Amino acid sequence: MSVWYRKIKVAETQEDLLNVCKLRYHVYVDELKRDNYNYIDNVKRILEDDLDNVDGVVNLMVNSPENKDADITLAGCARLHVPVPEKYNEMFGILDKGLFPGSTINDFAFFSRFMVKAEFRGRNGATDAIYEQCYIQAREMGAKYLMLNCTPSLASAYERKGWVRYKNTYWDQGMGMQMAMCLPMEDIPFLSTLGSFSILPASSIAIPELASTDGDNKPNKVKRGEWLTRILT
């Protein structure tokens, strides 16, 4: 089986970034019909915003194995920031020591602009491979928590990969109702409970320990990680 989808790389040139912005436009506008953003360029057919040009930004990308569309050369892409852009600090509660005791702003990465072209979405391993590489890249950049915001209707999809809801929904003037979500990247025992659905690379998934058995010798729930236990109970 071809492993083309594992050839994910960091966008390093202006041409790379242009291809990323073209894929974003294709997914948002051509596929999802979301054309009401002020940073969409309908002439160049790109989606680029101010956060593409700040310190600490990394775009990941993977080329399509079959370039049937000469203008859209990528199968998928995603964007990471370390630290999280300041405009999102309030939404995520990054400076809240009650939520994240002992943390600094460099402990947080921001996950956004995750796009996979329709024909590769949920197939051929492209989607999961991009998730995994984002985890690896964020850890290499020194982050402990991988943050994202989404509409409440999408929260369950991210929960299946390991993100958790930890705050009430947040109203943003430009984006509408948003859910702040956090993936505790150091909480390997918790992420391992998700098995093959986890954002963790397969080589990192550990066999989770079970809690002590009850009187009928039936195992209790798998233990949650230390960070989740503190925050969610």
Side-chain angles (χ1 to χ4, degrees), residues 140-188:
E140 289 178 348
M141 294 169 76
K144 299 178 181 179
Y145 306 105
L146 187 56
M147 319 302 287
L148 67 79
N149 61 288
C150 64
T151 60
S153 63
L154 292 176
S156 60
Y158 288 113
E159 285 177 320
R160 289 194 289 272
K161 307 305 293 183
W163 274 273
V164 295
R165 313 180 202 205
Y166 65 102
K167 293 185 68 181
N168 293 328
T169 52
Y170 181 97
W171 176 259
D172 180 88
Q173 191 65 35
M175 297 180 290
M177 192 66 72
Q178 295 291 299
M179 176 71 71
M181 304 191 75
C182 174
L183 190 143
M185 290 188 289
E186 293 185 325
D187 198 344
I188 306 300

mmCIF file of all heavy atoms in Angstrom, residues 140-188:
data_model
loop_
_atom_site.group_PDB
_atom_site.id
_atom_site.type_symbol
_atom_site.label_atom_id
_atom_site.label_comp_id
_atom_site.label_asym_id
_atom_site.label_seq_id
_atom_site.Cartn_x
_atom_site.Cartn_y
_atom_site.Cartn_z
ATOM 1 N N GLU A 140 7.449 18.978 19.177
ATOM 2 C CA GLU A 140 8.810 19.409 18.841
ATOM 3 C C GLU A 140 8.994 20.913 19.050
ATOM 4 O O GLU A 140 10.114 21.377 19.309
ATOM 5 C CB GLU A 140 9.140 19.040 17.392
ATOM 6 C CG GLU A 140 9.316 17.543 17.180
ATOM 7 C CD GLU A 140 9.607 17.175 15.738
ATOM 8 O OE1 GLU A 140 9.445 18.062 14.851
ATOM 9 O OE2 GLU A 140 9.975 16.017 15.476
ATOM 10 N N MET A 141 7.900 21.665 18.968
ATOM 11 C CA MET A 141 7.955 23.105 19.190
ATOM 12 C C MET A 141 7.847 23.451 20.671
ATOM 13 O O MET A 141 7.828 24.623 21.036
ATOM 14 C CB MET A 141 6.852 23.795 18.384
ATOM 15 C CG MET A 141 7.043 23.676 16.872
ATOM 16 S SD MET A 141 5.597 24.200 15.905
ATOM 17 C CE MET A 141 5.719 25.995 16.048
ATOM 18 N N GLY A 142 7.752 22.422 21.517
ATOM 19 C CA GLY A 142 7.786 22.624 22.965
ATOM 20 C C GLY A 142 6.437 22.727 23.640
ATOM 21 O O GLY A 142 6.369 22.981 24.853
ATOM 22 N N ALA A 143 5.344 22.529 22.914
ATOM 23 C CA ALA A 143 4.015 22.687 23.500
ATOM 24 C C ALA A 143 3.583 21.450 24.284
ATOM 25 O O ALA A 143 3.988 20.322 23.974
ATOM 26 C CB ALA A 143 2.988 22.990 22.414
ATOM 27 N N LYS A 144 2.757 21.683 25.292
ATOM 28 C CA LYS A 144 2.152 20.607 26.082
ATOM 29 C C LYS A 144 0.662 20.464 25.799
ATOM 30 O O LYS A 144 0.089 19.393 26.013
ATOM 31 C CB LYS A 144 2.344 20.884 27.573
ATOM 32 C CG LYS A 144 3.793 20.961 28.022
ATOM 33 C CD LYS A 144 3.872 21.299 29.499
ATOM 34 C CE LYS A 144 5.328 21.399 29.960
ATOM 35 N NZ LYS A 144 5.408 21.758 31.409
ATOM 36 N N TYR A 145 0.043 21.550 25.359
ATOM 37 C CA TYR A 145 -1.394 21.563 25.099
ATOM 38 C C TYR A 145 -1.634 22.027 23.665
ATOM 39 O O TYR A 145 -1.062 23.023 23.226
ATOM 40 C CB TYR A 145 -2.122 22.514 26.057
ATOM 41 C CG TYR A 145 -1.845 22.248 27.517
ATOM 42 C CD1 TYR A 145 -0.994 23.082 28.239
ATOM 43 C CD2 TYR A 145 -2.422 21.170 28.176
ATOM 44 C CE1 TYR A 145 -0.729 22.858 29.580
ATOM 45 C CE2 TYR A 145 -2.161 20.934 29.513
ATOM 46 C CZ TYR A 145 -1.318 21.775 30.219
ATOM 47 O OH TYR A 145 -1.053 21.541 31.542
ATOM 48 N N LEU A 146 -2.484 21.314 22.964
ATOM 49 C CA LEU A 146 -2.832 21.681 21.590
ATOM 50 C C LEU A 146 -4.269 22.194 21.588
ATOM 51 O O LEU A 146 -5.205 21.440 21.853
ATOM 52 C CB LEU A 146 -2.688 20.465 20.671
ATOM 53 C CG LEU A 146 -2.862 20.709 19.166
ATOM 54 C CD1 LEU A 146 -1.904 21.790 18.670
ATOM 55 C CD2 LEU A 146 -2.643 19.414 18.391
ATOM 56 N N MET A 147 -4.434 23.476 21.303
ATOM 57 C CA MET A 147 -5.719 24.148 21.424
ATOM 58 C C MET A 147 -6.377 24.316 20.060
ATOM 59 O O MET A 147 -5.699 24.500 19.041
ATOM 60 C CB MET A 147 -5.547 25.531 22.059
ATOM 61 C CG MET A 147 -4.573 25.591 23.223
ATOM 62 S SD MET A 147 -4.981 24.498 24.605
ATOM 63 C CE MET A 147 -6.397 25.379 25.292
ATOM 64 N N LEU A 148 -7.705 24.267 20.067
ATOM 65 C CA LEU A 148 -8.447 24.621 18.859
ATOM 66 C C LEU A 148 -9.788 25.206 19.264
ATOM 67 O O LEU A 148 -10.258 25.013 20.386
ATOM 68 C CB LEU A 148 -8.632 23.420 17.931
ATOM 69 C CG LEU A 148 -9.515 22.234 18.348
ATOM 70 C CD1 LEU A 148 -11.017 22.505 18.181
ATOM 71 C CD2 LEU A 148 -9.145 20.997 17.537
ATOM 72 N N ASN A 149 -10.400 25.942 18.351
ATOM 73 C CA ASN A 149 -11.772 26.410 18.540
ATOM 74 C C ASN A 149 -12.594 25.974 17.337
ATOM 75 O O ASN A 149 -12.096 25.890 16.215
ATOM 76 C CB ASN A 149 -11.826 27.932 18.693
ATOM 77 C CG ASN A 149 -11.294 28.666 17.479
ATOM 78 O OD1 ASN A 149 -10.092 28.670 17.225
ATOM 79 N ND2 ASN A 149 -12.186 29.323 16.737
ATOM 80 N N CYS A 150 -13.845 25.640 17.595
ATOM 81 C CA CYS A 150 -14.731 25.157 16.532
ATOM 82 C C CYS A 150 -16.169 25.461 16.913
ATOM 83 O O CYS A 150 -16.464 25.855 18.040
ATOM 84 C CB CYS A 150 -14.550 23.645 16.323
ATOM 85 S SG CYS A 150 -15.029 22.639 17.754
ATOM 86 N N THR A 151 -17.075 25.281 15.973
ATOM 87 C CA THR A 151 -18.483 25.401 16.296
ATOM 88 C C THR A 151 -18.882 24.207 17.163
ATOM 89 O O THR A 151 -18.297 23.120 17.047
ATOM 90 C CB THR A 151 -19.344 25.413 15.026
ATOM 91 O OG1 THR A 151 -19.124 24.191 14.308
ATOM 92 C CG2 THR A 151 -18.980 26.588 14.131
ATOM 93 N N PRO A 152 -19.857 24.369 18.054
ATOM 94 C CA PRO A 152 -20.247 23.260 18.933
ATOM 95 C C PRO A 152 -20.605 21.986 18.183
ATOM 96 O O PRO A 152 -20.381 20.885 18.685
ATOM 97 C CB PRO A 152 -21.452 23.835 19.690
ATOM 98 C CG PRO A 152 -21.188 25.309 19.737
ATOM 99 C CD PRO A 152 -20.559 25.627 18.409
ATOM 100 N N SER A 153 -21.135 22.100 16.970
ATOM 101 C CA SER A 153 -21.535 20.919 16.217
ATOM 102 C C SER A 153 -20.349 20.044 15.810
ATOM 103 O O SER A 153 -20.520 18.849 15.524
ATOM 104 C CB SER A 153 -22.325 21.325 14.969
ATOM 105 O OG SER A 153 -21.512 22.094 14.093
ATOM 106 N N LEU A 154 -19.135 20.617 15.770
ATOM 107 C CA LEU A 154 -17.949 19.857 15.379
ATOM 108 C C LEU A 154 -17.179 19.302 16.566
ATOM 109 O O LEU A 154 -16.224 18.531 16.382
ATOM 110 C CB LEU A 154 -17.012 20.737 14.544
ATOM 111 C CG LEU A 154 -17.508 21.138 13.155
ATOM 112 C CD1 LEU A 154 -16.499 22.086 12.505
ATOM 113 C CD2 LEU A 154 -17.705 19.914 12.276
ATOM 114 N N ALA A 155 -17.579 19.664 17.776
ATOM 115 C CA ALA A 155 -16.792 19.295 18.957
ATOM 116 C C ALA A 155 -16.653 17.781 19.109
ATOM 117 O O ALA A 155 -15.578 17.284 19.459
ATOM 118 C CB ALA A 155 -17.421 19.896 20.207
ATOM 119 N N SER A 156 -17.708 17.039 18.851
ATOM 120 C CA SER A 156 -17.642 15.589 19.046
ATOM 121 C C SER A 156 -16.633 14.931 18.110
ATOM 122 O O SER A 156 -15.999 13.933 18.472
ATOM 123 C CB SER A 156 -19.030 14.958 18.858
ATOM 124 O OG SER A 156 -19.515 15.214 17.546
ATOM 125 N N ALA A 157 -16.461 15.483 16.905
ATOM 126 C CA ALA A 157 -15.482 14.926 15.972
ATOM 127 C C ALA A 157 -14.070 15.072 16.529
ATOM 128 O O ALA A 157 -13.243 14.155 16.413
ATOM 129 C CB ALA A 157 -15.589 15.618 14.615
ATOM 130 N N TYR A 158 -13.776 16.216 17.150
ATOM 131 C CA TYR A 158 -12.449 16.418 17.720
ATOM 132 C C TYR A 158 -12.275 15.627 19.014
ATOM 133 O O TYR A 158 -11.159 15.202 19.339
ATOM 134 C CB TYR A 158 -12.205 17.907 17.953
ATOM 135 C CG TYR A 158 -11.994 18.677 16.662
ATOM 136 C CD1 TYR A 158 -12.905 19.625 16.224
ATOM 137 C CD2 TYR A 158 -10.871 18.428 15.869
ATOM 138 C CE1 TYR A 158 -12.715 20.311 15.035
ATOM 139 C CE2 TYR A 158 -10.664 19.118 14.688
ATOM 140 C CZ TYR A 158 -11.591 20.053 14.278
ATOM 141 O OH TYR A 158 -11.392 20.723 13.091
ATOM 142 N N GLU A 159 -13.350 15.420 19.744
ATOM 143 C CA GLU A 159 -13.255 14.609 20.955
ATOM 144 C C GLU A 159 -12.797 13.188 20.629
ATOM 145 O O GLU A 159 -12.095 12.556 21.423
ATOM 146 C CB GLU A 159 -14.599 14.570 21.679
ATOM 147 C CG GLU A 159 -14.917 15.856 22.418
ATOM 148 C CD GLU A 159 -16.284 15.847 23.072
ATOM 149 O OE1 GLU A 159 -17.241 15.335 22.453
ATOM 150 O OE2 GLU A 159 -16.401 16.358 24.200
ATOM 151 N N ARG A 160 -13.188 12.687 19.485
ATOM 152 C CA ARG A 160 -12.772 11.335 19.108
ATOM 153 C C ARG A 160 -11.268 11.242 18.878
ATOM 154 O O ARG A 160 -10.700 10.149 18.890
ATOM 155 C CB ARG A 160 -13.531 10.888 17.848
ATOM 156 C CG ARG A 160 -14.998 10.599 18.101
ATOM 157 C CD ARG A 160 -15.633 9.857 16.944
ATOM 158 N NE ARG A 160 -15.802 10.683 15.761
ATOM 159 C CZ ARG A 160 -16.872 11.443 15.517
ATOM 160 N NH1 ARG A 160 -17.871 11.489 16.392
ATOM 161 N NH2 ARG A 160 -16.955 12.162 14.407
ATOM 162 N N LYS A 161 -10.617 12.377 18.653
ATOM 163 C CA LYS A 161 -9.166 12.378 18.460
ATOM 164 C C LYS A 161 -8.415 12.662 19.756
ATOM 165 O O LYS A 161 -7.201 12.469 19.809
ATOM 166 C CB LYS A 161 -8.761 13.416 17.412
ATOM 167 C CG LYS A 161 -9.485 13.314 16.091
ATOM 168 C CD LYS A 161 -9.376 11.947 15.467
ATOM 169 C CE LYS A 161 -7.971 11.599 15.036
ATOM 170 N NZ LYS A 161 -7.904 10.270 14.359
ATOM 171 N N GLY A 162 -9.105 13.146 20.789
ATOM 172 C CA GLY A 162 -8.446 13.390 22.064
ATOM 173 C C GLY A 162 -8.637 14.768 22.661
ATOM 174 O O GLY A 162 -8.250 15.024 23.799
ATOM 175 N N TRP A 163 -9.238 15.704 21.897
ATOM 176 C CA TRP A 163 -9.517 17.020 22.475
ATOM 177 C C TRP A 163 -10.654 16.913 23.489
ATOM 178 O O TRP A 163 -11.523 16.041 23.366
ATOM 179 C CB TRP A 163 -9.910 18.008 21.374
ATOM 180 C CG TRP A 163 -8.752 18.678 20.703
ATOM 181 C CD1 TRP A 163 -8.114 19.814 21.108
ATOM 182 C CD2 TRP A 163 -8.093 18.276 19.487
ATOM 183 N NE1 TRP A 163 -7.106 20.146 20.230
ATOM 184 C CE2 TRP A 163 -7.069 19.214 19.219
ATOM 185 C CE3 TRP A 163 -8.279 17.210 18.594
ATOM 186 C CZ2 TRP A 163 -6.232 19.129 18.119
ATOM 187 C CZ3 TRP A 163 -7.444 17.116 17.489
ATOM 188 C CH2 TRP A 163 -6.428 18.067 17.262
ATOM 189 N N VAL A 164 -10.647 17.791 24.478
ATOM 190 C CA VAL A 164 -11.693 17.800 25.497
ATOM 191 C C VAL A 164 -12.294 19.201 25.613
ATOM 192 O O VAL A 164 -11.617 20.205 25.395
ATOM 193 C CB VAL A 164 -11.163 17.348 26.875
ATOM 194 C CG1 VAL A 164 -10.731 15.894 26.834
ATOM 195 C CG2 VAL A 164 -10.007 18.231 27.338
ATOM 196 N N ARG A 165 -13.572 19.229 25.973
ATOM 197 C CA ARG A 165 -14.227 20.501 26.284
ATOM 198 C C ARG A 165 -13.933 20.822 27.747
ATOM 199 O O ARG A 165 -14.108 19.973 28.612
ATOM 200 C CB ARG A 165 -15.736 20.385 26.081
ATOM 201 C CG ARG A 165 -16.148 19.732 24.783
ATOM 202 C CD ARG A 165 -17.654 19.651 24.672
ATOM 203 N NE ARG A 165 -18.066 18.610 23.736
ATOM 204 C CZ ARG A 165 -19.218 18.604 23.093
ATOM 205 N NH1 ARG A 165 -20.089 19.573 23.281
ATOM 206 N NH2 ARG A 165 -19.518 17.622 22.253
ATOM 207 N N TYR A 166 -13.545 22.031 28.013
ATOM 208 C CA TYR A 166 -13.195 22.382 29.390
ATOM 209 C C TYR A 166 -13.729 23.755 29.798
ATOM 210 O O TYR A 166 -13.545 24.176 30.934
ATOM 211 C CB TYR A 166 -11.671 22.345 29.568
ATOM 212 C CG TYR A 166 -10.935 23.389 28.761
ATOM 213 C CD1 TYR A 166 -10.461 24.559 29.360
ATOM 214 C CD2 TYR A 166 -10.742 23.228 27.386
ATOM 215 C CE1 TYR A 166 -9.804 25.527 28.619
ATOM 216 C CE2 TYR A 166 -10.085 24.180 26.647
ATOM 217 C CZ TYR A 166 -9.618 25.326 27.260
ATOM 218 O OH TYR A 166 -8.977 26.290 26.515
ATOM 219 N N LYS A 167 -14.405 24.455 28.860
ATOM 220 C CA LYS A 167 -14.980 25.765 29.140
ATOM 221 C C LYS A 167 -16.350 25.848 28.491
ATOM 222 O O LYS A 167 -16.694 25.062 27.609
ATOM 223 C CB LYS A 167 -14.101 26.890 28.572
ATOM 224 C CG LYS A 167 -12.750 27.048 29.218
ATOM 225 C CD LYS A 167 -12.024 28.272 28.647
ATOM 226 C CE LYS A 167 -12.718 29.561 29.076
ATOM 227 N NZ LYS A 167 -12.056 30.756 28.528
ATOM 228 N N ASN A 168 -17.120 26.828 28.932
ATOM 229 C CA ASN A 168 -18.397 27.083 28.268
ATOM 230 C C ASN A 168 -18.153 27.650 26.874
ATOM 231 O O ASN A 168 -17.060 28.120 26.553
ATOM 232 C CB ASN A 168 -19.234 28.075 29.086
ATOM 233 C CG ASN A 168 -19.672 27.495 30.407
ATOM 234 O OD1 ASN A 168 -19.902 26.291 30.530
ATOM 235 N ND2 ASN A 168 -19.795 28.348 31.412
ATOM 236 N N THR A 169 -19.169 27.593 26.034
ATOM 237 C CA THR A 169 -19.043 28.164 24.694
ATOM 238 C C THR A 169 -18.757 29.664 24.786
ATOM 239 O O THR A 169 -19.064 30.323 25.776
ATOM 240 C CB THR A 169 -20.325 27.937 23.879
ATOM 241 O OG1 THR A 169 -21.456 28.394 24.641
ATOM 242 C CG2 THR A 169 -20.499 26.468 23.538
ATOM 243 N N TYR A 170 -18.163 30.175 23.718
ATOM 244 C CA TYR A 170 -17.662 31.551 23.697
ATOM 245 C C TYR A 170 -18.201 32.220 22.442
ATOM 246 O O TYR A 170 -18.098 31.656 21.343
ATOM 247 C CB TYR A 170 -16.136 31.502 23.687
ATOM 248 C CG TYR A 170 -15.429 32.843 23.684
ATOM 249 C CD1 TYR A 170 -14.962 33.412 24.857
ATOM 250 C CD2 TYR A 170 -15.191 33.529 22.486
ATOM 251 C CE1 TYR A 170 -14.284 34.617 24.857
ATOM 252 C CE2 TYR A 170 -14.521 34.737 22.474
ATOM 253 C CZ TYR A 170 -14.073 35.283 23.659
ATOM 254 O OH TYR A 170 -13.402 36.486 23.655
ATOM 255 N N TRP A 171 -18.786 33.406 22.607
ATOM 256 C CA TRP A 171 -19.300 34.128 21.445
ATOM 257 C C TRP A 171 -18.222 35.029 20.870
ATOM 258 O O TRP A 171 -17.659 35.885 21.555
ATOM 259 C CB TRP A 171 -20.523 34.969 21.814
ATOM 260 C CG TRP A 171 -21.002 35.791 20.641
ATOM 261 C CD1 TRP A 171 -20.776 37.107 20.402
ATOM 262 C CD2 TRP A 171 -21.753 35.307 19.518
ATOM 263 N NE1 TRP A 171 -21.347 37.495 19.208
ATOM 264 C CE2 TRP A 171 -21.958 36.412 18.639
ATOM 265 C CE3 TRP A 171 -22.279 34.064 19.173
ATOM 266 C CZ2 TRP A 171 -22.655 36.304 17.453
ATOM 267 C CZ3 TRP A 171 -22.986 33.949 17.986
ATOM 268 C CH2 TRP A 171 -23.171 35.052 17.141
ATOM 269 N N ASP A 172 -17.907 34.816 19.599
ATOM 270 C CA ASP A 172 -16.945 35.652 18.891
ATOM 271 C C ASP A 172 -17.680 36.445 17.820
ATOM 272 O O ASP A 172 -18.471 35.873 17.053
ATOM 273 C CB ASP A 172 -15.866 34.774 18.244
ATOM 274 C CG ASP A 172 -14.833 35.603 17.496
ATOM 275 O OD1 ASP A 172 -13.855 36.029 18.136
ATOM 276 O OD2 ASP A 172 -15.010 35.819 16.278
ATOM 277 N N GLN A 173 -17.422 37.740 17.766
ATOM 278 C CA GLN A 173 -18.148 38.602 16.847
ATOM 279 C C GLN A 173 -17.974 38.179 15.396
ATOM 280 O O GLN A 173 -18.898 38.265 14.591
ATOM 281 C CB GLN A 173 -17.685 40.058 17.020
ATOM 282 C CG GLN A 173 -18.543 41.077 16.301
ATOM 283 C CD GLN A 173 -19.964 41.136 16.856
ATOM 284 O OE1 GLN A 173 -20.175 40.969 18.070
ATOM 285 N NE2 GLN A 173 -20.946 41.357 15.988
ATOM 286 N N GLY A 174 -16.787 37.700 15.045
ATOM 287 C CA GLY A 174 -16.537 37.325 13.659
ATOM 288 C C GLY A 174 -16.903 35.887 13.336
ATOM 289 O O GLY A 174 -17.337 35.590 12.223
ATOM 290 N N MET A 175 -16.738 34.974 14.307
ATOM 291 C CA MET A 175 -16.934 33.549 14.050
ATOM 292 C C MET A 175 -18.234 32.985 14.603
ATOM 293 O O MET A 175 -18.622 31.869 14.276
ATOM 294 C CB MET A 175 -15.751 32.753 14.630
ATOM 295 C CG MET A 175 -14.421 33.074 13.986
ATOM 296 S SD MET A 175 -13.035 32.122 14.700
ATOM 297 C CE MET A 175 -12.900 32.881 16.333
ATOM 298 N N GLY A 176 -18.910 33.748 15.469
ATOM 299 C CA GLY A 176 -20.133 33.239 16.079
ATOM 300 C C GLY A 176 -19.821 32.389 17.299
ATOM 301 O O GLY A 176 -18.789 32.556 17.948
ATOM 302 N N MET A 177 -20.717 31.451 17.634
ATOM 303 C CA MET A 177 -20.544 30.624 18.816
ATOM 304 C C MET A 177 -19.397 29.645 18.613
ATOM 305 O O MET A 177 -19.360 28.905 17.638
ATOM 306 C CB MET A 177 -21.827 29.847 19.109
ATOM 307 C CG MET A 177 -21.838 29.176 20.480
ATOM 308 S SD MET A 177 -21.828 30.379 21.828
ATOM 309 C CE MET A 177 -23.519 31.010 21.704
ATOM 310 N N GLN A 178 -18.447 29.664 19.552
ATOM 311 C CA GLN A 178 -17.260 28.821 19.453
ATOM 312 C C GLN A 178 -17.075 27.973 20.705
ATOM 313 O O GLN A 178 -17.413 28.385 21.805
ATOM 314 C CB GLN A 178 -16.013 29.680 19.233
ATOM 315 C CG GLN A 178 -15.994 30.437 17.914
ATOM 316 C CD GLN A 178 -15.826 29.517 16.731
ATOM 317 O OE1 GLN A 178 -14.825 28.818 16.602
ATOM 318 N NE2 GLN A 178 -16.819 29.500 15.847
ATOM 319 N N MET A 179 -16.512 26.793 20.491
ATOM 320 C CA MET A 179 -16.162 25.898 21.587
ATOM 321 C C MET A 179 -14.641 25.850 21.691
ATOM 322 O O MET A 179 -13.959 25.546 20.708
ATOM 323 C CB MET A 179 -16.707 24.497 21.317
ATOM 324 C CG MET A 179 -16.322 23.452 22.355
ATOM 325 S SD MET A 179 -17.171 23.704 23.926
ATOM 326 C CE MET A 179 -18.842 23.232 23.464
ATOM 327 N N ALA A 180 -14.112 26.173 22.868
ATOM 328 C CA ALA A 180 -12.679 26.049 23.103
ATOM 329 C C ALA A 180 -12.384 24.611 23.506
ATOM 330 O O ALA A 180 -13.054 24.046 24.367
ATOM 331 C CB ALA A 180 -12.238 27.009 24.206
ATOM 332 N N MET A 181 -11.360 24.015 22.882
ATOM 333 C CA MET A 181 -11.029 22.628 23.176
ATOM 334 C C MET A 181 -9.522 22.501 23.374
ATOM 335 O O MET A 181 -8.739 23.240 22.784
ATOM 336 C CB MET A 181 -11.498 21.701 22.050
ATOM 337 C CG MET A 181 -12.980 21.824 21.749
ATOM 338 S SD MET A 181 -13.611 20.523 20.658
ATOM 339 C CE MET A 181 -13.657 19.126 21.788
ATOM 340 N N CYS A 182 -9.142 21.544 24.216
ATOM 341 C CA CYS A 182 -7.750 21.349 24.570
ATOM 342 C C CYS A 182 -7.382 19.876 24.448
ATOM 343 O O CYS A 182 -8.115 19.005 24.919
ATOM 344 C CB CYS A 182 -7.499 21.828 26.002
ATOM 345 S SG CYS A 182 -5.827 21.485 26.604
ATOM 346 N N LEU A 183 -6.243 19.620 23.833
ATOM 347 C CA LEU A 183 -5.693 18.273 23.773
ATOM 348 C C LEU A 183 -4.445 18.244 24.649
ATOM 349 O O LEU A 183 -3.451 18.896 24.336
ATOM 350 C CB LEU A 183 -5.351 17.884 22.332
ATOM 351 C CG LEU A 183 -4.988 16.409 22.131
ATOM 352 C CD1 LEU A 183 -5.531 15.900 20.797
ATOM 353 C CD2 LEU A 183 -3.488 16.186 22.199
ATOM 354 N N PRO A 184 -4.496 17.525 25.787
ATOM 355 C CA PRO A 184 -3.346 17.466 26.695
ATOM 356 C C PRO A 184 -2.314 16.475 26.157
ATOM 357 O O PRO A 184 -2.403 15.275 26.379
ATOM 358 C CB PRO A 184 -3.965 16.995 28.013
ATOM 359 C CG PRO A 184 -5.158 16.190 27.588
ATOM 360 C CD PRO A 184 -5.657 16.790 26.307
ATOM 361 N N MET A 185 -1.316 16.981 25.460
ATOM 362 C CA MET A 185 -0.434 16.113 24.689
ATOM 363 C C MET A 185 0.465 15.224 25.531
ATOM 364 O O MET A 185 0.954 14.200 25.059
ATOM 365 C CB MET A 185 0.416 16.965 23.728
ATOM 366 C CG MET A 185 -0.401 17.574 22.601
ATOM 367 S SD MET A 185 0.613 18.373 21.346
ATOM 368 C CE MET A 185 1.169 19.809 22.249
ATOM 369 N N GLU A 186 0.669 15.598 26.794
ATOM 370 C CA GLU A 186 1.497 14.765 27.660
ATOM 371 C C GLU A 186 0.696 13.670 28.351
ATOM 372 O O GLU A 186 1.272 12.817 29.020
ATOM 373 C CB GLU A 186 2.193 15.638 28.709
ATOM 374 C CG GLU A 186 3.231 16.587 28.126
ATOM 375 C CD GLU A 186 3.972 17.344 29.191
ATOM 376 O OE1 GLU A 186 3.352 17.676 30.230
ATOM 377 O OE2 GLU A 186 5.181 17.602 29.011
ATOM 378 N N ASP A 187 -0.606 13.704 28.196
ATOM 379 C CA ASP A 187 -1.471 12.742 28.897
ATOM 380 C C ASP A 187 -1.610 11.470 28.056
ATOM 381 O O ASP A 187 -2.676 11.158 27.522
ATOM 382 C CB ASP A 187 -2.835 13.372 29.168
ATOM 383 C CG ASP A 187 -3.609 12.633 30.244
ATOM 384 O OD1 ASP A 187 -3.231 11.492 30.555
ATOM 385 O OD2 ASP A 187 -4.565 13.200 30.773
ATOM 386 N N ILE A 188 -0.504 10.738 27.928
ATOM 387 C CA ILE A 188 -0.473 9.541 27.090
ATOM 388 C C ILE A 188 -1.474 8.483 27.558
ATOM 389 O O ILE A 188 -2.144 7.862 26.724
ATOM 390 C CB ILE A 188 0.950 8.955 27.022
ATOM 391 C CG1 ILE A 188 1.942 10.028 26.574
ATOM 392 C CG2 ILE A 188 0.991 7.754 26.089
ATOM 393 C CD1 ILE A 188 1.662 10.618 25.213
#
